[in-house]
Amino acid sequence: MTREFPDGETYLRIEGDVNGRAVALLCTLHEPNPRFLPLAFIADALRDMGATSVGLVAPYLAYMRQDARFLPGEAITSASFARLVSRQFDWLATVDPHLHRWHALSDIYTIPAVALQAAPLLAAWIRANVDNPVVIGPDEESEQWVSGVAATAGCSYIVLEKQRRGDRDVSVSGLSGQDWGGRTPVLVDDIISSGQTMAQTVAQCRATGSAPAVCLGVHGIFAPEALAALQQAGAARIVTTNAIAHPSNAIDLSPLLADAVRAFWRG
Ligand code: R5P
């Protein structure tokens, strides 16, 4: 059980016997700042009470996008966060972490860490729900997901170019003169945060004469106004996995995560 003291500190109590048991903690890590400290306390308490190992299942892994020092003095928070998690847990399972300048979790995590892929599940959703799709990736980083999704869904894909000038100031290009041929664009990205990447891509598709686009995100963070921006841009449907709970969740990651936990426990 958990509750907040009047001073804002957290009370935690583990109701159960973990002595001699391997434990997996499930905690997705959007809005990570208030979540991480209680999580670290629980991991400590579990060890103190005799757990033989404590693993972390974080369907969404926070702080992966600041993967370089772009401006002098910036903190490379992906590496710092990885050090904190690696100190507290014996292993980590996550889904499609944002690997761009880091090529693998092992670049920054020092514990066994597995990056599960939602691509087969996204592809299955497309096959079941969209006639004549073409998968669109909004930027070069997305090619790693969209190529696999399109191959499994049995359709083609297009990767666009993105220019980001600020947190909510994004433009995409690469669709001028596009012949849609009756295909429905299915936008695929790892993260929907401000929603601007997807919204600008939806708008570009519409401007070049496509059918209303379907938006498919692995991690639906949905900052304030993100959903409205996507709807205003003309998205036909917005679908996410349940890595982060949201009304748009339509793709269940539980079997993928359960398999990963079993694999860690088998060693
Ligand atoms: C970019 O690096 C990511 O793959 C996503 O495209 C990005 O995080 C989406 O962010 P937003 O919804 O704020 O445009």
Side-chain angles (χ1 to χ4, degrees):
M1 91 172 250
T2 172
R3 73 180 175 87
E4 197 166 287
F5 287 113
D7 59 6
E9 295 182 4
T10 302
Y11 171 89
L12 293 162
R13 182 177 176 205
I14 295 157
E15 296 173 305
D17 182 11
V18 297
N19 191 28
R21 311 285 295 269
V23 176
L25 280 174
L26 172 65
C27 182
T28 206
L29 285 170
H30 66 302
E31 299 172 352
N33 295 5
R35 283 177 212 276
F36 186 72
L37 199 53
L39 196 59
F41 290 154
I42 295 175
D44 252 4
L46 287 165
R47 276 185 221 290
D48 197 35
M49 292 169 65
T52 53
S53 66
V54 184
L56 175 62
V57 181
Y60 174 67
L61 183 60
Y63 282 116
M64 287 300 289
R65 285 180 290 176
Q66 184 81 36
D67 54 8
R69 182 167 289 124
F70 302 101
L71 296 172
E74 283 182 347
I76 304 175
T77 46
S78 52
S80 302
F81 192 64
R83 280 191 285 275
L84 289 173
V85 171
S86 297
R87 265 181 227 141
Q88 291 302 129
F89 294 94
D90 295 300
W91 52 262
L92 166 71
T94 188
V95 181
D96 289 325
H98 188 83
L99 293 170
H100 180 40
R101 289 169 191 84
W102 302 123
H103 299 296
L105 288 171
S106 57
D107 290 349
I108 45 177
Y109 282 80
T110 54
I111 52 175
V114 62
L116 305 165
Q117 295 187 348
L121 301 172
L122 303 188
W125 187 91
I126 294 170
R127 286 178 90 101
N129 292 281
V130 186
D131 290 330
N132 201 8
V134 52
V135 173
I136 313 283
D139 52 36
E140 65 167 48
E141 295 165 36
S142 67
E143 182 153 14
Q144 55 186 310
W145 302 287
V146 299
S147 53
V149 170
T152 312
C155 65
S156 56
Y157 71 93
I158 302 168
V159 173
L160 307 183
E161 282 172 36
K162 177 164 85 176
Q163 296 79 42
R164 184 183 284 282
R165 292 169 293 274
D167 290 345
R168 292 168 189 274
D169 185 4
V170 172
S171 57
V172 294
S173 55
L175 283 175
S176 64
Q178 181 64 41
D179 176 10
W180 293 99
R183 293 174 300 170
T184 296
V186 181
L187 282 41
V188 173
D189 207 355
D190 59 338
I191 296 171
I192 304 175
S193 179
S194 71
Q196 285 304 314
T197 299
M198 284 263 185
Q200 296 304 321
T201 309
V202 170
Q204 283 301 309
C205 292
R206 290 296 276 162
T208 53
S210 80
V214 174
C215 296
L216 216 49
V218 179
H219 304 291
I221 294 175
F222 293 106
E225 315 302 333
L227 199 56
L230 279 172
Q231 287 161 343
Q232 276 163 20
R237 189 160 176 198
I238 301 154
V239 167
T240 58
T241 76
N242 58 355
I244 298 170
H246 187 265
S248 61
N249 292 170
I251 298 171
D252 182 19
L253 298 174
S254 319
L256 195 65
L257 298 169
D259 282 350
V261 173
R262 273 192 288 268
F264 275 116
W265 282 350
R266 276 197 303 264

